Amino acid sequence: MSLRLIEGGRGHTDAPGLLIHGASQVVTMAGGLRRGAAQGDLAMLDAADVGGPGAPGAPVVACWEGKIVGVGPRDSVEAGLEAHGYSLSRFVRLDADGGVVTPGLVDPHTHLLFAGSRERELVLRQQGAGYMDILAAGGGILSTVAATRHADAETLAAHGRRWLDEMLRHGVTTIEAKSGYGLDLPTELRLLDVAYELGREGPIDIVPTFLGAHAVPAEFRSRPDGTEAYVRSVIEEQLPGVAAQGRARSCDVFCEEGVFTADQSRRILRAAAAYGLAIRLHADELAPSGGAELAAELGALSADHLHVPSDAGLAAMAASASGPTPTVATLLPATTWFLMTDEAAPARRFINAGVPVALGTDFNPGTSPAPNLPLVMTIACLEMKLSPAEALAAVTINAAFAAGVGAEAGSLEPGKLADVVIWRAADVGQLPYWVGADLVDVVVKRGRVVHRRGA
Ligand code: NIG
Ligand code: FE
């Protein structure tokens, strides 16, 4: 049975309210996108400042019909609720038991849906094979495409549920999910439809992204003009079909040396924007390929990977960062770790340049079979020197903006979705510190408890 609330309210006839109390710290992340010196601003309410988690002025989070209606000291939130006509008897109380309370995590970059797995590539890469060599030889993404084309919607949905469940247990309440393992219109549409339906099923909200330009499929590779012909087919056949289907909210391209050039990516993304899709890119993952520059030029929601951006690309993103809708740098450190790359993405350079930084898992079968977003925070702290607070902003408010849901998710503020995690830790600094540990006690999605430790 799905616990998901539709449009706030359904299923709340007995107790439409939820009051989360007893927290040591409530990290609100209120105040919008984080950049520069504010990247690590948690907007935190600390019970230690007011006499401890049980004190009258200790921080609480009040939710009503799936949305947040109050965050702040318990005495004033309760008084405010009553003053606005809410009956406190209609709030179920949830004791955080001295734990930290944060917004539900947002994973802004996943390749959730695919068939098969590629554990043999790990061994090949340990023996020295390059990621792009494996792809050029018809393996890598292309082997997942071959398996995915044979998978029906029910098989893909079952796979999706298995990994969504894993993500939920790690505190994730919203994800972006890309297609990109079909590379033909019927399979791409199937992937987008399954992503959309899984989001409706809940509890995790899903933002589907069309990634038809993930690689050039085998049937085009044999042609001398294969890449160009495939780009035309993405623009002229796939995009119109995707737009007519209406499931995708954004369009992504693997803009990378040896995959799609910046010029080809620009053509695809401009066509996508004309259909009203938001824009994001796999940019400068393996070589500087003009991806960061293109993201800034097109006003992309997010530029992702950015492991080796050019100086000009970084400067272009920095220039766009002072505007009202900056492109978010979504960094994916589990990928560089799993690819055994020596250098990490230049996260501190982005932060110093005022570019908002988000973190994602990049969950996929080739470069990041990692559904654990808190572990990604840990890797970001160790490899990219993000502070724990910067990493937490990167998987909440900044990730929500990167996913295109900044107005409804990513922070604990009145009017936003009641997506909340209670952690078994008394200080927020512990979240990335206990490496690989399962610290999630309770996950609340749209005002309902959807995961409880041991349940
Ligand atoms: O983000 N780099 C492109 N796409 C994925 C990997 C996909 C795969 O290897 O299956 C990524 O790393
Ligand atoms: Fe990716």
Side-chain angles (χ1 to χ4, degrees), residues 51-144:
V60 298
V61 181
C63 317
W64 185 263
E65 294 193 340
K67 298 256 178 80
I68 293 170
V69 288
V71 182
R74 179 162 56 83
D75 44 10
S76 61
V77 167
E78 288 182 348
L81 289 172
E82 286 195 306
H84 284 87
Y86 293 95
S87 163
L88 290 182
S89 66
R90 302 193 71 200
F91 284 79
V92 168
R93 289 182 187 248
L94 179 59
D95 188 354
D97 203 17
V100 171
V101 168
T102 70
L105 306 188
V106 178
D107 192 339
H109 184 134
T110 83
H111 303 253
L112 175 70
L113 297 174
F114 53 85
S117 61
R118 310 219 302 264
E119 57 277 8
R120 269 177 304 200
E121 283 179 25
L122 169 59
V123 178
L124 290 177
R125 287 190 293 99
Q126 284 176 321
Q127 292 165 350
Y131 175 73
M132 292 303 256
D133 302 332
I134 295 171
L135 175 61
I141 294 173
L142 294 177
S143 66
T144 301

Side-chain angles (χ1 to χ4, degrees), residues 260-452:
F260 297 102
T261 65
D263 187 53
Q264 290 164 335
S265 303
R266 179 185 291 105
R267 285 159 52 208
I268 293 168
L269 293 172
R270 280 209 175 131
Y275 284 109
L277 295 173
I279 286 170
R280 55 181 79 252
L281 286 87
H282 280 68
D284 308 318
E285 176 182 357
L286 304 158
S289 310
E293 292 90 325
L294 184 60
E297 174 195 322
L298 298 178
L301 265 185
S302 174
D304 299 34
H305 285 288
L306 295 172
H307 184 240
V308 282
S310 69
D311 289 345
L314 206 143
M317 286 185 66
S320 99
S322 50
T325 53
T327 299
V328 178
T330 298
L331 308 182
L332 308 167
T335 304
T336 34
W337 188 47
F338 194 73
L339 289 179
M340 295 173 277
T341 312
D342 290 335
E343 291 292 314
R348 295 243 63 90
R349 287 185 68 200
F350 281 111
I351 291 173
N352 292 340
V355 177
V357 168
L359 293 168
T361 59
D362 194 17
F363 178 70
N364 77 74
T367 66
S368 185
N372 184 334
L373 195 53
L375 178 62
V376 170
M377 288 170 63
T378 303
I379 305 170
C381 292
L382 300 180
E383 306 266 299
M384 308 195 309
K385 308 295 183 285
L386 258 60
S387 72
E390 289 171 334
L392 188 56
V395 294
T396 52
I397 190 67
N398 282 10
F401 277 97
V405 294
E408 57 261 39
S411 60
L412 303 178
E413 295 178 86
K416 283 199 161 183
L417 294 176
D419 297 353
V420 189
V421 181
I422 302 175
W423 302 82
R424 187 192 276 191
D427 188 280
V428 66
Q430 294 186 13
L431 269 46
Y433 164 77
W434 297 110
V435 180
D438 174 12
L439 297 179
V440 173
D441 256 345
V442 176
V443 181
V444 172
K445 177 64 187 174
R446 292 177 179 252
R448 301 197 63 172
V449 173
V450 291
H451 170 68
R452 207 184 271 273

